[in-house]
Amino acid sequence: MSSEQTPAPEAAEPRPRRLTYAAALAGLEGLALVVGGVWMLALGITGDPDDRQQAVTGGVTLIVLALLPLLAARGLLARRSWSRGPAVITQIMALPVAYNLLQADSLAIPGGIALALVAVTALVLLVNAETTRALGIQGPGNVPQK
């Protein structure tokens, strides 16, 4: 059998739900960033923003930033150990954004609540022992036995 036909060791057992949920939340955040970036970009190009260059730059920046959670979500679904780092970083970066949204006196408050809930939930799912085992991440001092 070739290496392509041999199933990967992690494919033998099903992916834990927590890992799937964490990937879904990271993917959702990435999609939200893409939508926000496209919206800002469209307003910058077609609308009458205060500063057209700032709107276009902000839109492109959001679209580029969306790559981090989207790649992390794909890696989590594929059970790649490297993907937990970017996913955790994304959630940690989302917490101050949620806090700033909560400080607004507008419709941004429900968005801040939703973002905070998603970020905290995703962090809990990502640091869960079941998720860590499924990704093959060894804890400090846990050297694999030969």
Side-chain angles (χ1 to χ4, degrees):
M1 276 187 136
S2 72
S3 63
E4 291 177 348
Q5 295 172 341
T6 308
E10 61 268 359
E13 60 186 59
R15 182 182 326 118
R17 278 194 213 160
R18 288 182 176 110
L19 183 56
T20 304
Y21 295 157
L25 290 174
L28 232 125
E29 288 172 330
L31 288 175
L33 284 169
V34 168
V35 168
V38 169
W39 180 71
M40 280 181 75
L41 194 57
L43 283 180
I45 293 171
T46 63
D48 189 27
D50 294 337
D51 185 357
R52 183 174 305 262
Q53 182 179 0
Q54 186 177 7
V56 170
T57 303
V60 170
T61 301
L62 283 180
I63 292 169
V64 170
L65 282 175
L67 292 175
L68 184 65
L70 290 173
L71 288 173
R74 185 166 188 252
L76 289 170
L77 286 175
R79 299 171 91 172
R80 305 286 185 244
S81 61
W82 61 262
S83 61
R84 190 173 83 157
V88 168
I89 289 168
T90 299
Q91 306 317 317
I92 291 171
M93 287 174 21
L95 290 172
V97 174
Y99 179 78
N100 283 334
L101 290 173
L102 289 170
Q103 300 304 309
D105 287 332
S106 67
L107 293 174
I109 293 173
I113 293 169
L115 181 58
L117 288 173
V118 167
V120 170
T121 302
L123 277 172
V124 168
L125 292 170
L126 288 166
V127 298
N128 184 278
E130 185 179 345
T131 302
T132 303
R133 272 192 306 278
L135 293 173
I137 298 172
Q138 301 284 328
N142 293 336
V143 180
Q145 301 292 324
K146 290 185 181 182

